[in-house]
Amino acid sequence: MATENSEYTLPHLMVTAAAREIADGEVIFVGMRLPMLGFFLAKSTHAPNAVGVYELGIVRDTVAPEPILTMGDLPNLCRAQWLADTADLMGLLQQGLVDASFIGGAQVDRFGNLNTTYIGDIENPGTRLPGSGGACDLASLGKRHIIIMAHERHRFVPRVDYITSPGYGDGAGWRRQVGLPRGGPSAVITTRGILRFDPDTCEMMLASLHPGVTVDEVLANTGWPLRVAGELSRTPAPEEAELAMLRRFDPKGYWTGA
Amino acid sequence: MTKAPEETQTKKISLSQAIARFVPDDSAVVMGTAQETLIPFAAGHEMIRQRKRDLTLIGPISDILFDQLVGGRCVRKIRAGWVGNVITGSGYNFRRAAENRTIEIEDHSNLTLSMGLRAAAMGVSFMPTRTALGSDLYKTNSSLKTMTCPFTGNTLTAVAAIRPDVAIIHVQRSDEYGNAHVWGNLGITREACLASQSIIITAEEIVSSDVITSDPNRVITPGFRVSAVVHAPWGAHPSPVPGCYNRDHEAFIAYRTASKTPEAFADWQARQVDAVHNSDDYLALLGKERTHGLALKHHVISEETDYGY
């Protein structure tokens, strides 16, 4: 893919889309991989006053002084705003003081429930995945969360095999009914487009197509009859300035290479 | 009257003695509590060398250490939030064992694990939280129950107390009585120490008690709760240790291939664990070029703090 002047990769497009989900001044629970780069990009462009919370016990309001690959890399601790206990940061989340978080997944369903634990039957699993980490907490307690994942038919299923991180359960009203205090997924950024949730039914809808992707291609890679928003938009390509930033944050292309 | 440090018995012993004495077969061990930093790899490798069996491992997001212990056939049960390789994804020994059902797994989130340890640390039978409601963690974790808040009537998750037999904590520096300084992100380290019956400290450096008492806010847990202190330089490699060394990304990336099949893992264990007997062996294996490459290049020294009166 290319802008007028420069080539970009699919991860570049997804990171840029993730950054645009962050508003200035928000408190963001920052996840690994693309979300971390998305947070750095937002901080360096339209959201300079966003604050980053990292579950291992870091709060920082600046981008790490050197490129990092994982959130525990020492540059991410250096001159942090606060180094603390995981439970302190989970407390911020549980009180409702975190605006948004980002999580990845292996399997998602039409109501945004996410599975990173078992594919197949629990008693006789086909695949065992790493598990929740903090993802269940972010999905349960944040004001909203954004899901980032590959858009394949075997991953976009009518009903996940295991709810690791709760979305809207079986539809409107479910979160309140099970006792969750707030929140739910606001967007799913995939390798093919961006999906959002109908405010009335809580069902996932296609909202934006990435450059070069067709509606049919998205439908063919979704395991239920996906609704398409009336006003379908086209995901904007990253701007030159954004690409320059991303090359600085991930100079070797470990996360954003082709 | 409290004893002067000179009269207090030292707790400093070798790593092999500490693991032999305080980690018997069938014990429940909490480790990797700072999450991605300060992971006690040297202690974990000694557990593999001593062919520990039937351990229960407790931790938040074990970054390859739990996978190595599963591969070393030391583990019967895991109570954790996440088991894998942070930079590459899956942990293959863990995955094989889970799919073949040779280990038992209690699925936590990072918050439920912290709350379970905090309950034990506070001496109560459970802690309430609002996470995990409606999730399937309830199906694979019998330590979680829903309850009704007696004050608000809201539904809450109750997490049963988790009381490990031993916590293994890697630190930057400790005196020989177990008073240890840790700086950096703390993860669930404080509640893990308070909840555990005994504590093994592995330290980059053994220092005098004067160094430690000059800054008591930096002490991770009071020394009277600690059972053993081990001098273990580079004992958290390849994870990072603030003030000491950076994360060795290449080692984590290489481990992905090294754990992909049981045969590859056996070869990795023979070279990286069984052929190593102490930190000198391990440093020789790493080589000077590698340790130099991981050393801090940019120092930021904190301002002095006056605790005087």
Side-chain angles (χ1 to χ4, degrees):
Chain A
M1 287 178 279
T3 64
E4 272 180 33
N5 302 314
S6 176
E7 296 284 318
Y8 66 90
T9 63
L10 186 55
H12 281 141
L13 183 74
M14 294 170 74
V15 169
T16 307
R20 289 173 186 161
E21 296 290 323
I22 298 172
D24 196 20
E26 285 194 316
V27 178
I28 304 297
F29 220 101
V30 186
M32 257 295 277
R33 305 177 184 219
L34 301 187
M36 194 166 73
L37 295 173
F39 175 72
F40 289 177
L41 183 58
K43 276 286 307 175
S44 309
T45 54
H46 63 277
N49 301 303
V51 175
V53 176
Y54 300 78
E55 65 183 356
L56 57 169
I58 304 168
V59 175
R60 65 181 301 141
D61 59 354
T62 55
V63 172
E66 278 186 27
I68 57 172
L69 285 179
T70 67
M71 55 176 104
D73 290 6
L74 299 189
N76 207 35
L77 277 62
C78 183
R79 296 201 183 277
Q81 193 174 65
W82 192 29
L83 293 176
D85 293 357
T86 293
D88 293 326
L89 310 186
M90 291 293 176
L92 294 176
L93 189 68
Q94 194 159 249
Q95 283 188 71
L97 297 174
V98 172
D99 294 298
S101 64
F102 291 84
I103 52 184
Q107 205 182 45
V108 70
D109 67 25
R110 66 195 293 171
F111 294 111
N113 302 297
L114 204 61
N115 177 10
T116 53
T117 306
Y118 285 108
I119 303 290
D121 184 12
I122 294 168
E123 297 303 320
N124 187 18
T127 304
R128 171 68 208 203
L129 300 164
S132 159
C136 172
D137 308 318
L138 303 178
S140 297
L141 303 170
K143 287 187 195 161
R144 69 179 195 275
H145 63 276
I146 295 113
I147 297 166
I148 301 190
M149 60 183 284
H151 202 141
E152 309 294 344
R153 197 177 176 87
H154 69 278
R155 297 179 184 278
F156 278 66
V157 296
R159 185 74 185 166
V160 290
D161 297 333
Y162 183 106
I163 300 179
T164 311
S165 305
Y168 296 106
D170 56 14
W174 180 87
R175 288 181 70 92
R176 179 169 299 181
Q177 196 189 323
V178 297
L180 291 171
R182 65 185 78 81
S186 61
V188 185
I189 299 170
T190 79
T191 43
R192 301 179 197 275
I194 301 173
L195 302 99
R196 298 193 188 275
F197 293 84
D198 183 310
D200 296 323
T201 64
C202 295
E203 189 179 333
M204 203 188 290
M205 292 185 310
L206 179 62
S208 179
L209 285 170
H210 292 341
V213 178
T214 64
V215 171
D216 284 348
E217 192 183 324
V218 170
L219 297 181
N221 283 285
T222 304
W224 71 90
L226 178 68
R227 286 176 54 201
V228 178
E231 287 181 36
L232 188 61
S233 57
R234 191 59 79 172
T235 313
E239 290 168 12
E240 294 299 335
E242 292 171 318
L243 286 172
M245 291 280 182
L246 288 176
R247 290 192 192 100
R248 215 177 74 205
F249 301 143
D250 187 23
K252 293 178 182 163
Y254 188 84
W255 300 118
T256 56
Chain B
M1 212 174 93
T2 54
K3 285 191 218 167
E6 301 77 55
E7 300 168 49
T8 311
Q9 208 176 356
T10 181
K11 293 171 182 172
K12 188 168 169 281
I13 55 178
S14 72
L15 182 57
S16 61
Q17 287 173 316
I19 299 301
R21 197 176 304 169
F22 296 104
V23 190
D25 285 352
D26 208 29
S27 43
V29 190
V30 60
M31 58 203 301
T33 56
Q35 301 207 18
E36 294 175 24
T37 57
L38 294 156
I39 303 172
F41 278 102
H45 292 184
E46 181 61 26
M47 285 151 66
I48 297 174
R49 274 192 294 277
Q50 292 190 15
R51 302 296 188 257
K52 296 294 178 188
R53 292 293 178 261
D54 296 321
L55 300 178
T56 294
L57 300 184
I58 302 164
I61 58 134
S62 149
D63 199 359
I64 79 175
L65 178 59
F66 285 10
D67 191 76
Q68 294 173 358
L69 285 153
V70 170
R73 290 184 288 151
C74 306
V75 183
R76 180 174 58 78
K77 181 176 178 181
I78 289 186
R79 310 174 77 181
W82 193 96
V83 181
N85 185 338
V86 164
I87 200 167
T88 67
S90 272
Y92 292 102
N93 287 310
F94 168 72
R95 192 171 149 175
R96 275 189 291 273
E99 289 168 9
N100 297 330
R101 305 186 63 75
T102 55
I103 53 169
E104 191 187 333
I105 303 167
E106 184 178 280
D107 285 290
H108 280 272
S109 72
N110 288 346
L111 179 51
T112 64
L113 192 75
S114 168
M115 289 300 109
L117 291 166
R118 280 190 178 214
M122 294 300 290
V124 296
S125 55
F126 74 91
M127 285 288 271
T129 162
R130 307 190 78 177
T131 194
L133 293 165
S135 80
D136 287 333
L137 266 60
Y138 279 88
K139 290 186 185 163
T140 55
N141 184 339
S142 59
S143 300
L144 306 179
K145 303 272 181 223
T146 54
M147 62 175 286
T148 302
C149 171
F151 300 102
T152 64
N154 289 336
T155 304
L156 298 169
T157 295
V159 188
I162 298 172
R163 183 169 287 281
D165 295 312
V166 57
I168 304 181
I169 307 296
H170 192 74
V171 306
Q172 285 94 340
R173 61 190 180 213
S174 176
D175 70 15
E176 58 184 297
Y177 314 107
N179 302 291
H181 278 178
V182 175
W183 59 97
N185 61 292
L186 300 176
I188 61 161
T189 306
R190 290 202 274 212
E191 55 266 47
C193 287
L194 289 168
S196 297
Q197 310 280 356
S198 57
I199 301 167
I200 298 172
I201 296 286
T202 65
E204 291 291 328
E205 193 186 4
I206 304 296
V207 298
S208 75
S209 296
D210 282 348
V211 171
I212 302 298
T213 54
S214 76
D215 192 0
N217 275 133
R218 217 181 297 281
V219 174
I220 194 69
T221 209
F224 81 86
R225 292 279 285 105
V226 173
S227 300
V229 176
V230 172
H231 183 213
W234 290 83
H237 174 272
S239 70
V241 175
C244 298
Y245 43 87
N246 284 286
R247 191 177 194 271
D248 190 347
H249 296 298
E250 278 175 36
F252 285 95
I253 293 167
Y255 182 74
R256 182 180 197 274
T257 314
S259 58
K260 198 98 194 230
T261 64
E263 296 73 27
F265 180 77
D267 182 54
W268 179 89
Q269 185 188 320
R271 281 183 292 109
Q272 298 282 325
V273 178
D274 292 341
V276 172
H277 298 284
N278 49 49
S279 52
D280 289 342
D281 287 356
Y282 192 72
L283 280 174
L285 190 67
L286 279 181
K288 281 212 169 68
E289 198 180 326
R290 192 151 193 177
T291 52
H292 181 74
L294 297 171
L296 304 192
K297 310 289 186 298
H298 179 75
H299 296 277
V300 176
I301 309 297
S302 68
E303 194 59 52
E304 281 182 19
T305 306
D306 191 350
Y307 282 93
Y309 53 89

